[in-house]
Amino acid sequence: MSAARPIRCLLSRPIPAKPTCFRSRPFHSSPSHCARRKTRSSNAKAEDVAQLPSPHERFKPYSEAEKVELAKRYSPEQLKAIEAGEQAIDPEDLLYQGELRQDPFMLNYLDDLSTIRPVIDKPVRNPESNYDPNLRLKNENEIVKDFARWVKDLPPEPSRLDYMKFMDNRRLTVGDEMAEKAPVSALAPKLPVIDDPELRYAKEGREDDPNLLRLMQQTGFTKKDLRKIRTKTLVTHTVVNQTRMGKIRSWYYLSVAGNGNGLLGIGEGKAAEPEDARKQSEIRAIRALEPITRYENRTIYGEVKGKVGAVELKLMSRPPGFGVRCQQYIFEMCRLAGITDLAARSTRSRNPMNTIKATFQALKKQRLPEDIARARSLKMVDVRKVYYGGLV
C-alpha cells in the first residue's frame, strides 16, 4: 500500500459495487434477464399446512348407503375381505404415496371381482369331497348288465334319442358318482385343440389340387395321412439333351419321402421348369413308399450291403443312443424312415444319386430273424442267441 493514500480511504466503509451483467450473444427471440427469476408458486406457510384436511378426514370409511350398494355386487365374504384390507392400509400412505394413474396405459384398478375372466382368472376347482379313493372301472359283466337294464326299460317305440341319452348318462366306474362326473384335478383345463387339419385351415371356395386327388386314388392315403408324409430333395442339377434343333436344357430332381415311422420312398423328376420337376419327384417318391423293417423301431437287423453302379456301401446296426453316423444322404433317408441308430461305410464311389439308390436297396434287403430261423429249421431263440431275456 502506498503511504501517499489518504487516511479516509483506509477508515471509510467499503461500498459494495453493483454486479455487472454481461449479456451473452442471444440465440433465440426471447429477451435475456440478468436479475434472478422469481418462482411462480409461493412458498407454503405453517399456518396454511395446518389447515389441510387430515388423512382420516379425506379417506372416510364406507357409509351405510355405500355398504348397501356394495352388497348388491359382492358377497358377504368379499365385503369382509374389502373391509379388512382397508383397515390394514394406513390412510397416510394413501394420502402421500397412493396415486391413481390417468394415462392411457394405466392398469384396470377398479375391477369387478364378482365376475370370472377366463383369460386371467384361475378356473373354479371342484371340491375335495368329490375324491373317492375306492373308485374303479366297471368290468365287462357290469357294463353288460347296465346295457341289458336299459334295453329292458326301453319304450315300445324306441328312437335314436333314447340311445343318445343312455350314452350320456351311463356310468363307467363303481363308486361316488361325483368323483366320475366332476373329478378333483390340480391341473388347469386344456385349451380346445382341433385335430382335423381340414377344419383348422379350411377356406371358403378352396378347390382341391387335382394332383392330390390323383395321388389319394393311387396310394389309398387320406389327406390327413398325406400331410404327415415329409419330403426332402437331396439331388438337383440341370441336364442337356442335344437335338437337331439345338440343346434343350431341363432340370433333374431326386427326392425322398417318408413318414418317420417305417415308410420310405425315392422318386426322380425331370422337367423344363424346376418347380415342375420338384413336384414330379415328390409325387413319385410318395407313390413309391415301401415299409422298412426296423429293430425295436430304432435301427436295422444286423448288417446289410447295397451296390448300384460303382457305389458299394454297408449299413450296420448300432446300440441305443449311438445316433446316425454316416454321410448326409444316408442321414436324411434314415431320418425320414424313423431310424435313429445306424452306422454306414462307403468303400468305393460316393456318387449322390447312386448312394441314395444303394441305401434304399440295402434297407429293403434286410432279413428277419423269423425268416432265418425258418430257413435253418431252428427256433427263434437259437437264431438270436438270447435265452431267458438275456440273462444267459
Side-chain angles (χ1 to χ4, degrees):
M1 178 183 298
S2 176
R5 190 172 184 180
I7 192 64
R8 67 175 184 270
C9 294
L10 299 175
L11 301 178
S12 61
R13 186 178 181 181
I15 300 175
K18 185 177 181 180
T20 306
C21 180
F22 298 96
R23 294 182 177 273
S24 60
R25 183 179 178 183
F27 291 97
H28 48 81
S29 58
S30 59
S32 60
H33 300 278
C34 295
R36 183 179 179 183
R37 295 183 180 182
K38 296 183 179 181
T39 58
R40 296 182 180 180
S41 59
S42 58
N43 297 331
K45 299 180 181 180
E47 344 15 287
D48 300 336
V49 175
Q51 296 178 1
L52 293 176
S54 62
H56 297 278
E57 296 178 357
R58 185 171 181 180
F59 300 98
K60 297 180 180 180
Y62 288 117
S63 61
E64 297 297 331
E66 293 175 343
K67 291 182 179 180
V68 172
E69 293 295 330
L70 290 175
K72 296 179 181 179
R73 303 186 61 182
Y74 301 103
S75 62
E77 292 79 7
Q78 291 176 339
L79 288 177
K80 291 181 181 179
I82 293 174
E83 293 178 356
E86 292 189 352
Q87 292 177 3
I89 300 176
D90 191 1
E92 294 185 359
D93 296 340
L94 294 176
L95 181 62
Y96 298 112
Q97 299 181 10
E99 181 180 357
L100 293 178
R101 295 172 55 179
Q102 302 296 333
D103 55 291
F105 305 99
M106 66 178 181
L107 299 176
N108 189 12
Y109 294 102
L110 307 178
D111 195 359
D112 188 4
L113 302 180
S114 61
T115 59
I116 296 178
R117 301 171 63 182
V119 178
I120 60 176
D121 293 340
K122 293 184 178 180
V124 179
R125 305 295 183 185
N126 295 325
E128 295 292 339
S129 59
N130 291 0
Y131 175 72
D132 186 6
N134 300 323
L135 191 70
R136 67 173 180 83
L137 293 174
K138 289 185 177 181
N139 53 31
E140 296 181 0
N141 297 332
E142 293 172 344
I143 295 176
V144 170
K145 288 180 181 179
D146 293 345
F147 185 76
R149 192 181 303 109
W150 171 73
V151 173
K152 184 179 179 181
D153 299 339
L154 278 177
E157 297 181 359
S159 62
R160 187 178 180 183
L161 182 61
D162 298 332
Y163 178 74
M164 295 174 64
K165 289 181 179 180
F166 167 72
M167 296 299 293
D168 293 340
N169 300 327
R170 64 173 180 171
R171 291 280 309 277
L172 298 178
T173 59
V174 177
D176 189 5
E177 183 178 1
M178 296 305 297
E180 178 183 354
K181 294 184 177 181
V184 180
S185 176
L187 301 177
K190 295 183 179 180
L191 296 176
V193 178
I194 301 176
D195 295 333
D196 193 356
E198 297 181 0
L199 297 178
R200 185 183 300 178
Y201 304 107
K203 297 181 181 179
E204 296 182 359
R206 188 188 66 177
E207 298 181 358
D208 293 330
D209 187 7
N211 296 329
L212 180 62
L213 296 176
R214 185 178 179 183
L215 190 61
M216 292 170 56
Q217 296 173 357
Q218 293 174 345
T219 59
F221 292 143
T222 61
K223 291 183 181 179
K224 191 174 182 180
D225 297 335
L226 290 177
R227 288 191 176 94
K228 293 181 180 179
I229 297 175
R230 302 173 58 185
T231 58
K232 179 74 174 181
T233 301
L234 299 181
V235 179
T236 173
H237 58 257
T238 58
V239 294
V240 177
N241 184 22
Q242 180 67 46
T243 64
R244 61 189 182 89
M245 302 298 295
K247 294 182 179 181
I248 299 177
R249 184 182 300 272
S250 59
W251 288 84
Y252 171 85
Y253 275 74
L254 177 61
S255 301
V256 184
N259 64 345
N261 193 22
L263 284 181
L264 184 67
I266 62 175
E268 299 174 288
K270 189 185 298 183
E273 297 295 333
E275 186 65 20
D276 297 339
R278 184 185 63 82
K279 289 184 179 180
Q280 189 181 77
S281 64
E282 291 178 355
I283 291 175
R284 290 182 177 179
I286 296 175
R287 288 169 52 187
L289 285 174
E290 294 188 19
I292 302 299
T293 306
R294 295 180 300 164
Y295 176 67
E296 295 180 351
N297 293 335
R298 61 173 184 83
T299 186
I300 61 176
Y301 283 92
E303 298 181 359
V304 290
K305 297 181 180 180
K307 182 181 183 305
V308 174
V311 174
E312 293 182 1
L313 52 84
K314 180 170 65 173
L315 307 181
M316 297 161 284
S317 61
R318 286 295 179 262
F322 184 83
V324 181
R325 304 183 186 181
C326 54
Q327 54 178 303
Q328 68 272 23
Y329 305 109
I330 305 177
F331 176 85
E332 294 295 341
M333 297 181 67
C334 293
R335 185 172 64 89
L336 293 176
I339 298 175
T340 57
D341 300 308
L342 184 90
R345 179 178 299 173
S346 298
T347 56
R348 293 180 60 189
S349 173
R350 296 190 178 183
N351 179 269
M353 296 169 51
N354 292 339
T355 299
I356 297 170
K357 296 177 182 179
T359 304
F360 188 58
Q361 180 190 92
L363 291 175
K364 294 189 300 181
K365 286 171 56 178
Q366 299 182 65
R367 296 186 64 188
L368 297 179
E370 294 87 347
D371 301 335
I372 299 175
R374 190 181 299 108
R376 298 180 182 179
S377 300
L378 299 175
K379 295 182 179 180
M380 177 67 68
V381 293
D382 297 330
V383 174
R384 295 189 60 188
K385 297 182 180 180
V386 177
Y387 303 94
Y388 301 102
L391 300 179
V392 178

